[in-house]
Structure formats: C-alpha cells, structure tokens
Amino acid sequence: MTEAIVKKEISSNIARISSEGASYVDVRFYIDDSSETLVLYDGDLEANDTTVQSGIGVRVLWDGAWGFAASSDPSGLEACFDNAAMNARTASRLVKVPLSMGKCDAVKGSYTTPVEIDPFTISLKDKLSFLSRMDNDLKEDFVIKRIVYAIFHKMKIHFQNSEGSEINKDLVSVFGTMIAMALDSDGEMQRRSMSLYSTGNGTAGWEMMTNPELFSGHATRVKSELSELIKAEPLEYGRRSVILQPGQGHLQVHETIGHPLELDRILGYELSYAGGSFVNLDSFGKLRYGSDKLSVSSYGSIENSPGSFGFDDDGTPERDYLLIDRGILVNALTSRAMVNEANNKAGRKIFQQSGGAARATSFYRAPIDRMTNVNILPGNDGTEEDIIASTEDGIVVDNPVSWSIGSNREHFHFGCEIAWEVKNGKKTRILRNPTYQGHTLEFYASLSAVGDESTWKVEQVNNCGKGEPNQVMQIGHGVPVIKFDDVITGERK
Ligand SMILES: [Zn+2]
C-alpha cells in the first residue's frame, strides 16, 4: 500500500469511528523509524545494531476512556481502528475520572530537523573509521578501557486527528559519547567522558559529530583530565559551593525539575513505577522553587536538540514558555487530557492550555506526559571564570557517574566524574570521587550564580525512561554554568 493510500484510509477510518460515537480519535503513522547504534570497546566493534520499523498507532477516546491499538501491517488498518475503539468502550465501563481532550482548532503543519548531512547517508565504513580515529585519540598507556559510541535515529511521522489536524514530522538525532577509564592509586576505577552537545543553534546531522568543538576535538582533554584524576586526592566531606558545568547541570535539571513537573506524575499516574512528585496542584503560582536567579523554560522547538519535534503527539504546536519564573513555579509539562483533568480536580483553571508534552516513543506505544527540552535560562553572572572568581571555597563538577533521587524528587545525591577545587577565586587542583546532595527546594534556593549565554549548552539525553510499559525518550536540556552555595559535598567518614 502506498503512503498516499494509507493516509486516505486513515482519514476515512477516523471519520467512521467518530460517527460511531468516539469523542476524539488520533493516529500516528510512522512511515519510517530507523536507528543505528555503533559501539567500540578498546577499538573493537562491540555492537552494530540497526532497527527499522514502521506502523500505525490509533488512540480513541470514548465516554472518557482511552483505547489504544497499533499495527505494523497497513492492510490491517480497519481492524486496528476497531480494536482501539473496542478497548476504549471496554475501559469506559470502569472509568472513575472521565478524560477529556477539550476543544482545539485543527492544526496543519510540519516540522523538520535542520540537517546538513543525513547520518544515514554516511557509509558504515566511514562511520567506523571516524569512530576508530576517536578511539585512537583516547589511547595512552595508563588508559585501561576505552569506549566510543554513536547512535543515529530518524523518524518520518504523519499525524491526523478527528479535529482535522494534519502534521508531518521528519526528525533526525545524533548522539555520541567517548569514555576513557583508568585505575587510581587506590586501585579504584576512574573515568572521564564527553558527550556530543549543541549550542542550541545550527544543524543536527552527522556534521555535529565531526565538529571538533561539539565532539570530535575533546579526546585529548578527556585523556589529560583522566591522567590528573587518577593521581588526585579524594574530595573531603564538608559544606561548600558547588559549580555545575552543563555536563552535570543537565541531569540535575532533568531529575529535579523536569520529572517532578510532569503533570501526569503530579496527578499520581506514575506512582506504581518511577514515583510521584513533591509538587501538587496548589503549588502553581505560589511555590518558591528556587532563588530569583532560577528561570526555567520548556521548549520543544529549540533549533538543534533531540527534544525538538515541533508538534507533540496530541497535535499541539510547541511553544516556548516558563515553568519557573524568577524562582516561582508557574507551569508544568502537560498534555491536553492531563490539563483538563488537573483543572477539573482543582476546580479552577490552573493551566490555560497544553504545554505540548504528550509524546510516545514509537508507533506501538500511547503518548504520555514527558518533558520536552527543559532549560535553565542564561543569567547575568558572566562566564565560568567570572563565577569561579567570585567563589571563596567550592568545587566545579562535571558529568554524572551515579545518581539517586527520592521517589517524589524531593531530595537527591549525585556522584560526578571530576571536581576542580576552587579556593579564593581560583581553580586549584583536581579532586576525585566528588559527590553532592541536597533537598531539591533548599538546593535551588541556594542558587547564587547563573552563567551567561557563553556558558549555555544543550546537553543531549538519549535514554530517559518512563511509563509502563517502559518508553525510552530522547531530549535535550539547555543549561548554563550554575553555582549553589552551602551544599553538602563528599561522604562523611
Ligand atoms: Zn528521565
């Protein structure tokens, strides 16, 4: 069946199921969903995995209940719609809180990831020789393990719903990571790594990997930092300032701002799996989440990020809006149905419209609320050097090695790859095994410096997991260098 015929059949089936009594129907037709993962261990090819899939996911809302069905067989389209409708009708008999999508105008649009070189046009041979060169750059006598990997992903998706919306998306994302490991003087394994990032601007294709600033030029630095790390003293326990580089800051934001602000989580839909949120419906407009220096946005259309997709899986166009405005919580990461449920529960209109956060990982999974690009906005405290210069006693940390987060995201403990000691405004020596911990709200209240645009990077996340059954999602976080004061660091002996 050609693409055009499938699209036509989708339209007629949406009309049919709507006329039978569905209050809302939508369809995501994944014309192509391909990925390629290449992993080198110590220069040897450890994995060369490719996936190619296509299919259709149908959602039907009937008397306040969702039904979902999916098929990879285009000739089974009609049955797929019937299954989704039957599932919804069955579920509607048990509904306690009826769901509603509200009313929205039809949306016609398209979104294409800006790409200079489609990574799928680069031959396997060329990709492997590039990765081998990267691996070679990490080689040194003291390095006992080297890992270099790359992941390429592309999706061509057609969306239609019963409101007349029609959206086409062509998405490409590229991930790259290099890791070098060595033993320290206590025989403990230390690692230093670097992952491909973007400035938020520019194109998101193969050219990112070969860009020395964004990825390929960092091997020498990674190696030399590791050589110092294995000779370094461990960080001693104590309260001090902690300066997070974006390599660490993005995970801080992801775990303690992104996840707790997903509205389905706030409404209790994730309690059986990854947990809840300390945020509740009364928090919006009131809760002081952090100091005046903390402003956080959600934006699913940053020019260059794996969390950019233009329109979410409810068909909502992405907009740039604030979640936290100068320290005050003002909005959440939302989908249409969750916005309606939250407003009904609260008996007032907390949320004016969907934040465009309904996303599914594939055609055979139904969309759930999940963070788009959640970003800390750049501040007025200058460069990283300026922030260090204004720090009496602290550490600069980068890249996570361990994380542990309370089920309601109210507290956390992170271990990082590396720390640089800061004394009286100067970076002094490297310290190993740095950790820091805190209570989310107290921690963000202690945010005392936010770096300017020059420190802001979009870090990429290729494996955020959520939902039952699990859905793995790709996103980005734009984060500047950020400083927190009086933080518990290191481990008490
Ligand atoms: Zn996550």
Side-chain angles (χ1 to χ4, degrees):
M1 231 190 274
T2 67
E3 213 179 291
I5 294 175
V6 175
K7 286 179 184 172
K8 223 170 135 193
E9 282 212 13
I10 286 172
S11 302
S12 63
N13 276 290
I14 287 176
R16 179 173 65 84
I17 299 294
S18 298
S19 72
E20 287 173 9
S23 55
Y24 175 89
V25 183
D26 70 21
V27 181
R28 286 168 299 114
F29 172 25
Y30 281 56
I31 298 151
D32 180 19
D33 180 355
S34 301
S35 76
E36 184 179 15
T37 303
L38 298 169
V39 185
L40 295 189
Y41 277 9
D42 297 329
D44 295 329
L45 185 61
E46 173 71 15
N48 171 15
D49 300 331
T50 55
T51 62
V52 178
Q53 54 190 17
S54 68
I56 283 162
V58 179
R59 265 198 319 181
V60 172
L61 192 62
W62 200 294
D63 282 342
W66 281 123
F68 178 75
S71 172
S72 57
D73 174 13
S75 67
L77 211 64
E78 199 176 320
C80 188
F81 275 84
D82 288 339
N83 281 337
M86 187 180 68
N87 290 340
R89 279 201 301 271
T90 307
S92 71
R93 290 191 220 121
L94 303 166
V95 142
K96 288 207 183 92
V97 185
L99 295 167
S100 159
M101 287 292 270
K103 285 269 167 287
C104 276
D105 293 335
V107 175
K108 307 262 184 197
S110 64
Y111 182 84
T112 303
T113 308
V115 167
E116 199 179 300
I117 305 168
D118 178 348
F120 289 83
T121 64
I122 304 291
S123 71
L124 181 62
K125 187 168 163 272
D126 287 351
K127 281 175 181 150
L128 288 177
S129 70
F130 169 78
L131 293 177
S132 291
R133 277 203 306 279
M134 297 295 315
D135 172 76
N136 207 42
D137 290 349
L138 290 174
K139 272 186 190 161
E140 204 70 66
D141 285 348
F142 67 91
V143 175
I144 58 167
K145 183 97 199 149
R146 310 179 308 275
I147 301 171
V148 178
Y149 69 83
I151 302 168
F152 310 99
H153 198 181
K154 69 171 169 180
M155 287 188 284
K156 188 176 170 65
I157 306 166
H158 173 75
F159 172 93
Q160 275 189 45
N161 71 13
S162 51
E163 293 163 341
S165 292
E166 268 190 54
I167 296 160
N168 292 297
K169 295 191 272 195
D170 272 287
L171 308 176
V172 173
S173 49
V174 172
F175 299 90
T177 294
M178 60 177 102
I179 306 169
M181 296 182 213
L183 292 175
D184 65 23
S185 48
D186 291 333
E188 252 183 83
M189 187 76 94
Q190 297 292 336
R191 55 174 268 169
R192 193 69 187 107
S193 70
M194 196 271 163
S195 289
L196 172 68
Y197 70 91
S198 94
T199 58
N201 299 314
T203 55
W206 170 255
E207 64 280 0
M208 283 179 82
M209 297 220 87
T210 55
N211 181 319
E213 192 203 324
L214 303 182
F215 187 62
S216 65
H218 289 262
T220 312
R221 174 180 64 80
V222 163
K223 215 164 50 178
S224 93
E225 287 174 357
L226 181 64
S227 76
E228 289 188 59
L229 192 57
I230 53 174
K231 291 178 254 161
E233 295 290 317
L235 174 71
E236 281 186 16
Y237 177 82
R239 284 185 174 265
R240 45 174 72 85
S241 297
V242 173
I243 299 167
L244 307 184
Q245 291 193 338
Q248 174 61 27
H250 80 283
L251 192 71
Q252 182 72 48
V253 169
H254 181 90
E255 302 292 5
T256 60
I257 296 180
H259 280 308
L261 296 188
E262 288 167 337
L263 187 54
D264 61 344
R265 211 176 155 111
I266 293 168
L267 291 170
Y269 282 98
E270 280 279 303
L271 284 174
S272 63
Y273 188 40
S277 175
F278 65 88
V279 171
N280 60 51
L281 295 180
D282 283 335
S283 307
F284 294 92
K286 282 189 253 175
L287 179 71
R288 178 157 280 283
Y289 210 104
S291 77
D292 287 348
K293 289 184 181 281
L294 182 68
S295 285
V296 178
S297 75
S298 168
Y299 187 34
S301 292
I302 285 181
E303 191 179 26
N304 181 356
S305 167
S308 293
F309 40 86
F311 304 84
D312 77 352
D313 291 334
D314 283 345
T316 304
E318 292 306 314
R319 60 197 167 86
D320 193 357
Y321 69 97
L322 286 177
L323 298 166
I324 297 170
D325 185 3
R326 287 159 293 171
I328 305 295
L329 179 67
V330 293
N331 216 325
L333 295 153
T334 58
S335 63
R336 290 173 60 180
M338 291 297 109
V339 159
N340 287 311
E341 183 174 330
N343 288 344
N344 284 340
K345 266 194 180 153
R348 64 197 167 91
K349 211 167 179 185
I350 303 174
F351 305 105
Q352 301 303 313
Q353 62 189 116
S354 165
R359 291 176 79 192
T361 188
S362 62
F363 74 88
Y364 53 85
R365 293 278 183 259
I368 52 176
D369 290 20
R370 51 197 320 162
M371 67 186 94
T372 55
N373 300 304
V374 171
N375 318 295
I376 293 190
L377 302 187
N380 302 316
D381 297 303
T383 62
E384 183 177 340
E385 289 68 36
D386 294 332
I387 292 173
I388 289 168
S390 69
T391 303
E392 225 172 277
D393 176 24
I395 46 171
V396 179
V397 292
D398 196 19
N399 290 63
V401 284
S402 69
W403 50 96
S404 160
I405 304 119
S407 60
N408 288 330
R409 308 278 150 165
E410 67 282 60
H411 44 69
F412 60 86
H413 180 286
F414 286 109
C416 303
E417 287 180 358
I418 189 167
W420 290 266
E421 185 181 54
V422 177
K423 290 281 184 204
N424 303 317
K426 294 216 159 49
K427 244 184 185 180
T428 54
R429 54 187 177 145
I430 281 180
L431 295 167
R432 69 182 147 106
N433 300 342
T435 62
Y436 69 98
Q437 57 184 297
H439 179 284
T440 302
L441 296 182
E442 283 170 16
F443 183 70
Y444 285 108
S446 78
L447 176 66
S448 64
V450 177
D452 63 20
E453 202 86 41
S454 74
T455 71
W456 195 84
K457 288 178 181 172
V458 177
E459 296 282 343
Q460 312 205 129
V461 176
N462 71 356
N463 57 358
C464 171
K466 186 179 172 182
E468 289 177 292
N470 190 257
Q471 301 197 37
V472 174
M473 194 57 82
Q474 297 77 36
I475 34 178
H477 295 292
V479 185
V481 170
I482 40 183
K483 175 170 118 175
F484 300 86
D485 290 330
D486 200 26
V487 179
I488 301 173
T489 62
E491 301 306 306
R492 208 194 282 268
K493 292 246 168 63

